[in-house]
């Protein structure tokens, strides 16, 4: 949900900070007041093309920030941010910011972290749908029609995705086996030689590190052997230091009771004996660990040389030789298994393909049934929107097998025909601006909560209509706004009366500078604005009375 919009130095807007809430928000104002500037500013924050002409005259740059509440940890915007390594915690706002310089160039930020305009645009499409005369996103993009139909149908697409993944894995295994057998057959002599060579050597995982460490200890022992021997000699034997300490302790023990100093000396001597004993044990352990065995050292160096030589020969790391041997043995086993192993893999791939086809066909059946229901639902919305001559259909078309995927075996696209006898065509190619917005509204109402962003903006959806049609548009916008945040730029008092919040866009001039501003209207000011929309510049009591009736009916 869009919670805030901050604009600085964009065309006629000097400084503007707006807050938005749930439900239907309407924006009104006289022609030329600057409604397009407001939408252009929001579009800039959502990743639209940066135009230096948007920078307010005399300023060096324009800045627009839009704040969103993603409402829930499962929002796809959070997943997109995580995929791109951006910080985004559930419950925290997502802030999109765009800076455009007067001399060209722009910068984009998400939560104050610099990003590309492309990522900003991708994220913006998940947060907001803007429907206007030239918009080509949201419901107009055929790539999203299949997902929208699946959501409308409450279809189980997970079974198809799982079946496709299993089929793909079985097919990959079969193709790999065929390639392995073909390659192995061509290199049979080399394969036998390599397996024999590695088997005789019998490499172990982690062997290089272990041998290198043992060699290093032995080489260190060779360097330390004289010093270590001298130290051990000082400890060992009847004349060694430890033996003499023990003899002294025994003699002192007989006389220690004769004087306190003697007792203290005995205690100190006992501690010395204990420490010396521990030192002797450590020295013995060090001597064993650093024991220099010339024959063992030579064997280690030979093994290391051969290990590294084999690794270079097979172009792998020394610790990967064991894995290479197992891989070569597996290839040899597949070669030996021959057609029998291939037959099993072929049977498995056929079974997985059959499972996928069954799941995809069930999904296609559900899609065709849902398409009929959706067509009927949209048809029921068209006549009240003055589109009674138009026809809508959901095309569910089988794809060639080469294009089957995790989403099934169908292509789905929404098409319309605006006049009797006219051919069906994609929405964006056949409808005029006003018709397009009303078609999108009819679709949105029919789809209800399924698909789309949490915030939708309709730009002059009521262009060229009035009376009952405008009332029908307002009623449907109000109904749709119960499920999502909706912002509408409108010239229709019937639509404006449906708003939960009403903002007036107006232009002011102080004799030197022209500015565009936005004011949130009170109940009284809202009544006056709707009356102005009904009667023009001169507001009459009759217009005010009609405004009251519209507000009461809403």
């Amino acid at each position: 949900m869009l919670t805030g919009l901050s604009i600085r130095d964009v065309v006629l807007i000097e400084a503007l900070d707006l807050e938005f809430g749930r439900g239907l928000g309407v924006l009104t104002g006289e022609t030329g007041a600057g409604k397009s500037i407001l939408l252009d500013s929001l579009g800039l924050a959502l990743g639209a093309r940066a135009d230096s002409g948007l920078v307010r005259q005399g300023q060096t740059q324009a800045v627009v920030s839009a704040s969103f509440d993603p409402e829930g940890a499962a929002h796809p915007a959070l997943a997109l941010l995580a995929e791109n390594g951006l910080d985004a915690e559930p419950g925290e706002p997502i802030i999109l910011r765009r800076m455009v310089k007067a001399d060209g160039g722009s910068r984009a930020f998400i939560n104050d972290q610099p990003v590309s305009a492309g990522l900003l645009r991708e994220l913006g499409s998940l947060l907001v749908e803007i429907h206007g005369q030239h918009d080509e996103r949201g419901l107009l993009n055929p790539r999203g029609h299949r997902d929208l139909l699946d959501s409308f149908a409450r279809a189980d697409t997970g079974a198809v995705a799982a079946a496709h993944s299993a089929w793909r894995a079985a097919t990959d295994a079969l193709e790999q086996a065929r390639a392995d057998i073909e390659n192995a057959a061509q290199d049979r002599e080399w394969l036998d030689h390599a397996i024999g060579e590695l088997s005789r050597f019998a490499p172990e995982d982690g062997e290089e590190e272990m041998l290198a460490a043992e060699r290093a200890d032995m080489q260190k022992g060779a360097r330390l052997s004289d010093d270590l021997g001298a130290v051990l000699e000082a400890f060992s034997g009847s004349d060694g230091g430890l033996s003499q300490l023990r003899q002294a302790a025994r003699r002192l023990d007989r006389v220690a009771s004769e004087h306190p100093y003697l007792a203290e000396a005995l205690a100190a001597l006992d501690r010395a004996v204990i420490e010396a004993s521990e030192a002797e044990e450590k020295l013995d352990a060090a001597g064993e660990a650093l024991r220099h065995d010339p024959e063992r050292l030579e064997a280690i160096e030979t093994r290391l040389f051969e290990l590294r030589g084999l690794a270079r020969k097979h172009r792998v790391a020394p610790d990967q030789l064991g894995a290479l041997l197992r891989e070569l043995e597996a290839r040899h086993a597949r070669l030996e298994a021959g057609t029998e192993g291939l037959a099993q893999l072929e049977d498995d791939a056929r079974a997985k393909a059959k499972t996928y086809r069954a799941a995809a066909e069930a999904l296609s059946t559900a899609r065709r049934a849902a398409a009929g229901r959706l067509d009927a639902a949209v048809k029921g919305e068209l006549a009240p929107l003055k589109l009674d001559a138009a026809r809508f259909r959901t095309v569910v078309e089988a794809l060639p097998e080469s294009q089957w995927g995790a989403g099934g075996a169908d292509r789905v696209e929404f098409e319309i025909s605006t006049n009797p006898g006219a051919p069906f065509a994609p929405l964006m190619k056949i409808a005029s601006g006003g018709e397009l917005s009303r078609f999108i509204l009819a679709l949105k109402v029919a789809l209800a909560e399924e698909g789309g962003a949490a915030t939708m903006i309709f730009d002059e959806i009521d262009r060229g209509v009035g009376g009952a049609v405008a009332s029908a548009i307002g009623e449907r916008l109000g109904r749709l706004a119960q499920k999502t945040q909706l912002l509408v730029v409108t010239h229709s008092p019937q639509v404006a009366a449906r708003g939960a919040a009403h903002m007036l866009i107006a232009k002011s001039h102080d004799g030197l500078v022209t500015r565009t501003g936005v004011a949130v209207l009170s109940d009284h000011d809202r009544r006056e604005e709707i009356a102005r929309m009904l009667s023009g510049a001169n507001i009459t009591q009759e217009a005010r009375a009609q405004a009251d009736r519209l507000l009461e009916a809403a």
Side-chain angles (χ1 to χ4, degrees):
M1 182 180 78
L2 176 66
T3 58
L5 181 65
S6 175
I7 305 172
R8 297 291 183 272
D9 296 319
V10 175
V11 193
L12 298 179
I13 299 177
E14 184 176 11
L16 183 62
D17 295 291
L18 296 175
E19 294 182 356
F20 301 92
R22 298 179 181 277
L24 177 61
V26 297
L27 296 92
T28 64
E30 295 182 355
T31 301
K35 295 186 291 295
S36 62
I37 301 175
L38 199 64
L39 293 184
D40 287 345
S41 298
L42 178 58
L44 196 62
L46 297 174
R49 187 178 67 87
D51 183 354
S52 60
L54 291 173
V55 181
R56 181 175 169 82
Q57 186 175 3
Q59 302 302 312
T60 59
Q61 66 179 19
V63 182
V64 182
S65 297
S67 177
F68 294 88
D69 179 0
E71 297 186 326
H75 197 289
L78 297 177
L80 177 64
L81 292 178
E83 289 172 9
N84 287 273
L86 296 173
D87 298 333
E89 295 294 331
E92 295 295 322
I94 298 176
I95 301 174
L96 281 58
R97 181 161 57 94
R98 193 80 174 278
M99 300 171 58
V100 181
K101 296 182 179 180
D103 57 359
S106 69
R107 298 182 66 190
F109 302 85
I110 297 175
N111 290 347
D112 286 330
Q113 299 175 78
V115 297
S116 67
L119 178 58
L120 197 68
R121 186 162 48 250
E122 185 177 359
L123 179 63
S125 68
L126 297 176
L127 295 168
V128 180
E129 289 182 16
I130 300 179
H131 299 296
Q133 294 190 65
H134 309 293
D135 183 67
E136 297 183 358
R137 296 173 295 176
L139 291 177
L140 301 187
N141 190 342
R143 287 181 295 181
H145 291 178
R146 188 169 68 182
D147 289 341
L148 286 171
L149 181 63
D150 289 343
S151 296
F152 179 79
R154 301 290 198 274
D156 179 14
T157 57
V160 175
H164 181 266
S165 177
W167 180 29
R168 185 72 267 161
T171 302
D172 289 345
L174 176 60
E175 293 174 353
Q176 184 62 51
R178 285 171 174 164
D180 287 347
I181 288 174
E182 181 180 353
N183 293 335
Q186 294 173 354
D187 300 328
R188 179 66 177 266
E189 183 177 349
W190 174 86
L191 191 62
D192 289 340
H193 171 76
I195 290 174
E197 182 180 45
L198 289 172
S199 297
R200 288 189 297 274
F201 187 79
E204 298 178 6
D205 294 339
E207 184 177 8
E208 182 191 29
E209 182 179 356
M210 180 185 66
L211 291 174
E214 186 177 356
R215 181 182 66 175
D217 286 343
M218 283 197 170
Q219 291 172 336
K220 190 182 298 181
R223 294 195 305 271
L224 301 176
S225 59
D226 292 342
D227 292 336
L228 188 58
V231 174
L232 284 170
E233 185 177 352
F235 271 85
S236 62
S238 58
D239 294 331
L242 182 57
S243 175
Q244 292 182 16
L245 282 174
R246 287 170 176 161
Q247 291 175 18
R250 286 195 294 271
R251 289 186 178 183
L252 187 57
D253 184 49
R254 292 196 293 268
V255 299
S257 59
E258 298 297 330
H259 195 279
Y261 284 161
L262 294 177
E264 292 176 5
L266 177 60
L269 196 55
D270 287 341
R271 291 194 298 273
V273 169
I274 293 172
E275 294 290 338
S277 298
E278 291 181 1
E280 183 180 36
E281 292 175 1
K282 299 295 184 184
L283 287 168
D284 288 338
E288 183 62 29
L290 298 173
R291 184 172 57 87
H292 176 53
D293 182 349
E295 292 183 0
R296 174 59 182 164
L297 180 59
E298 183 178 357
I300 290 172
E301 290 181 335
T302 300
R303 178 74 176 179
L304 267 176
F305 179 80
E306 293 177 353
L307 180 71
R308 290 167 176 169
L310 275 175
R312 287 192 299 272
K313 178 179 179 180
H314 292 283
R315 298 181 180 179
V316 297
D319 283 342
Q320 293 177 340
L321 284 173
L324 175 63
L325 175 58
R326 293 188 290 272
E327 179 186 340
L328 295 179
E329 288 173 339
R331 286 175 56 184
H332 190 275
R334 287 194 292 270
L335 180 61
E336 293 298 319
T339 57
E340 180 180 350
L342 278 181
Q344 293 177 351
L345 291 173
E346 288 169 350
D347 289 343
D348 185 52
R350 278 193 294 269
K352 295 296 195 305
K354 183 178 180 181
T355 300
Y356 172 79
R357 287 189 178 92
E361 180 56 36
L363 180 57
S364 297
T365 301
R367 283 170 174 163
R368 288 191 289 270
R373 297 196 304 273
L374 179 59
D375 292 351
V378 173
K379 181 180 179 181
E381 299 292 336
L382 294 179
L385 296 175
K386 204 178 179 180
L387 294 169
D388 43 308
R391 293 174 296 155
F392 172 87
R393 73 177 182 185
T394 304
V395 176
V396 181
E397 183 178 80
L399 290 169
E401 184 172 335
S402 61
Q403 296 180 28
W404 293 359
D410 308 303
R411 181 187 73 86
V412 176
E413 185 169 1
F414 301 146
E415 293 183 344
I416 62 168
S417 168
T418 55
N419 297 299
F424 281 92
L427 287 172
M428 71 178 69
K429 292 184 179 180
I430 199 169
S432 66
E435 288 177 329
L436 185 57
S437 293
R438 281 179 279 149
F439 264 113
I440 290 171
L441 177 60
L443 257 175
K444 277 295 183 183
V445 173
L447 290 168
E449 296 178 340
E450 310 307 333
T455 298
M456 286 187 290
I457 298 175
F458 285 92
D459 183 13
E460 299 187 358
I461 188 174
D462 48 15
R463 177 187 294 270
V465 301
V469 177
S471 295
I473 291 174
E475 188 275 330
R476 280 154 179 79
L477 289 171
R479 197 189 330 158
L480 190 58
Q482 295 174 6
K483 305 177 184 299
T484 186
Q485 183 189 44
L486 207 59
L487 299 176
V488 180
V489 176
T490 180
H491 290 287
S492 168
Q494 292 91 338
V495 173
R498 293 276 179 175
H502 191 149
M503 286 171 278
L504 176 64
I505 304 172
K507 189 183 296 183
S508 63
H509 186 71
D510 61 5
L512 295 175
V513 179
T514 301
R515 296 180 177 87
T516 289
V518 179
V520 179
L521 299 184
S522 64
D523 291 343
H524 174 270
D525 291 338
R526 182 183 182 192
R527 171 178 176 258
E528 289 295 296
E529 170 63 8
I530 293 175
R532 180 199 64 78
M533 297 170 73
L534 287 164
S535 64
N538 297 318
I539 302 176
T540 65
Q541 289 303 319
E542 183 181 351
R544 291 189 177 95
Q546 179 63 16
D548 287 336
R549 286 192 290 272
L550 288 175
L551 289 168
E552 289 172 3

